[in-house]
Amino acid sequence: MMDNREEGFSMQDRCVSPEHAAAPLKGRFAPSPTGRMHAGNVFSALVAWLTAKSTGGTIVLRIEDLDKERSKACFIDDVQRDFEKLGLYWDEGPYFQHDRDEAYAAAFEELRRRDLIYPCFCTRADLHAASAPHHGEKLVYPGTCRGLDEEQRVTRSASRTPAQRLVVSDETVSFVDGIQGRYEQNLARDCGDFLVRRSDGAFAYQLAVVVDDAEQGVTSVVRGVDLLCSTPQQMYLQSLLGLGHPAYAHVPLMVAEHDRRLSKRDKDAALDVLLERFGDPRSLIGHIAGITGLAPTCEPAAPEELLDVFDPATLPSTLVDLEQVDWR
């Protein structure tokens, strides 16, 4: 649940958590190289850059290429050129997830040593049949394979390679998001035991991103609100592994017709198209800043020119409807 109208809710709460308030923030760009960036990706990256730089902090570039089938080398090159073209420069990186298996395996083995991981043989169809969607976003895993005994696990392993799930406790994780306000999730009721390794052997996003953020010193995570419901699971993993919690801020999604979220696959508001339409990066950055509340007008601006007016409290917490936006 979210509530950004909580009594006593200060702007300092919205910007950073108390543990990070006194120090420069270290943010990150973490694109997946599965297509060209769209307007929503640019908006998230711009807020991440402004959040860190407004505190005198730094930015890490991490290429999240866990999905080896969908990640393409051409998009890795494109995303770096796109950031540079927009004036969104990073201070460290690029780091890549595809060569980080050793670090992920160490965290995975630590959890398994503590008997917090078990094999799951459920297919996608099984999960949809047995689970109920929570808040329209994720299916809640009902614990189907948690109680299997060793004999059952051996028998099922003969016909299907299992994924690996993390046991969650019946507890509520809550935090104050820098944009969305207070958010909480009961792990057992709202999520269920979640994947930390897929059946093909690839480590799951939740585990990888926690290990990467810790090792790369990230203290500020700014991303789309579609990932808000993943944050309590990542915080739970951080606690289990003895890692600190970054400050989180989840920006509203930009949507097309009928509240359909933008996607790289559909080439929605694709960056190359937008740059051609606006003519230059400053005009595009200024327009995105204006329509999202980052700036009072849509006048052309480079990211550093927005630092003087940047105020997270002006950001909307709800969808930005591109159908209502003049992109001319």
Side-chain angles (χ1 to χ4, degrees):
M1 314 190 282
M2 285 184 294
D3 182 7
N4 56 6
R5 297 175 300 278
E6 184 180 15
E7 185 174 353
F9 197 67
S10 69
M11 189 167 115
Q12 185 64 50
D13 287 333
R14 295 199 66 178
C15 297
V16 295
S17 63
E19 64 187 285
H20 302 297
L25 293 173
K26 190 173 188 180
R28 41 98 151 164
F29 298 148
S32 298
T34 57
R36 287 299 296 274
M37 288 200 297
H38 55 60
N41 303 138
V42 176
F43 174 43
S44 294
L46 180 58
V47 178
W49 191 91
L50 290 170
T51 299
K53 294 298 182 178
S54 65
T55 68
T58 55
I59 287 285
V60 168
L61 173 61
R62 179 169 74 230
I63 307 298
E64 296 196 334
D65 53 355
L66 277 177
D67 190 335
K68 294 178 175 60
E69 289 187 7
R70 295 181 61 212
S71 298
K72 306 297 181 186
C74 62
F75 294 135
I76 293 175
D77 294 337
D78 285 342
V79 73
Q80 294 182 71
R81 282 196 295 267
D82 289 342
F83 280 137
E84 290 175 340
K85 192 180 302 181
L86 293 169
L88 295 170
Y89 298 103
W90 58 93
D91 303 284
E92 291 183 29
Y95 301 118
F96 296 87
Q97 289 186 326
H98 71 257
D99 57 5
R100 297 269 297 146
D101 278 359
E102 186 175 338
Y104 307 147
F108 179 84
E109 290 303 323
E110 166 65 14
L111 297 170
R112 182 153 62 181
R113 182 186 65 78
R114 292 157 59 186
D115 201 25
L116 294 173
I117 289 174
Y118 64 89
C120 175
F121 301 90
C122 295
T123 64
R124 192 177 298 272
D126 294 334
L127 296 175
H128 279 272
S131 306
H134 176 66
H135 297 317
E137 283 290 341
K138 288 191 173 185
L139 298 175
V140 179
Y141 183 68
T144 307
C145 293
R146 188 199 275 204
L148 297 179
D149 60 31
E150 190 59 32
E151 183 178 350
Q152 290 172 311
R153 290 174 178 176
V154 170
T155 299
R156 297 193 184 195
S157 293
S159 58
R160 180 174 176 80
T161 302
Q164 303 291 327
R165 288 187 181 273
L166 178 74
V167 175
V168 301
S169 58
D170 185 7
E171 68 177 81
T172 296
V173 176
S174 65
F175 66 101
V176 178
D177 186 82
I179 296 171
Q180 301 300 328
R182 185 166 295 281
Y183 181 82
E184 64 180 33
Q185 183 183 96
N186 180 279
L187 294 171
R189 183 179 64 246
D190 301 333
C191 166
D193 300 338
F194 57 90
L195 290 181
V196 287
R197 196 166 195 176
R198 301 185 333 196
S199 59
D200 63 2
F203 292 99
Y205 169 78
Q206 307 288 40
L207 180 65
V209 73
V210 161
V211 172
D212 288 341
D213 282 343
E215 185 165 316
Q216 292 155 14
V218 171
T219 59
S220 170
V221 174
V222 177
R223 56 192 179 188
V225 74
D226 54 323
L227 290 172
L228 178 63
C229 61
S230 292
T231 304
Q233 296 147 53
Q234 292 168 21
M235 294 180 71
Y236 182 64
L237 270 171
Q238 288 159 356
S239 295
L240 289 176
L241 294 169
L243 307 175
H245 302 308
Y248 289 97
H250 290 80
V251 303
L253 298 181
M254 289 186 170
V255 294
E257 71 284 350
H258 309 299
D259 287 348
R260 179 179 60 82
R261 69 178 58 178
L262 302 185
S263 74
K264 294 176 183 175
R265 182 177 300 173
D266 295 331
K267 297 183 170 65
D268 284 305
L271 182 58
D272 49 350
V273 175
L274 291 177
L275 285 172
E276 183 177 351
R277 184 177 302 173
F278 283 92
D280 65 84
R282 291 182 77 256
S283 295
L284 174 57
I285 289 291
H287 201 81
I288 288 178
I291 66 173
T292 58
L294 281 172
T297 72
C298 290
E299 291 297 311
E304 58 266 23
E305 295 174 81
L306 298 172
L307 286 170
D308 288 341
V309 297
F310 176 60
D311 180 357
T314 65
L315 288 169
S317 60
T318 55
L319 304 177
V320 179
D321 187 354
L322 295 188
E323 288 295 290
Q324 306 301 315
V325 172
D326 181 5
W327 284 103
R328 292 174 294 175

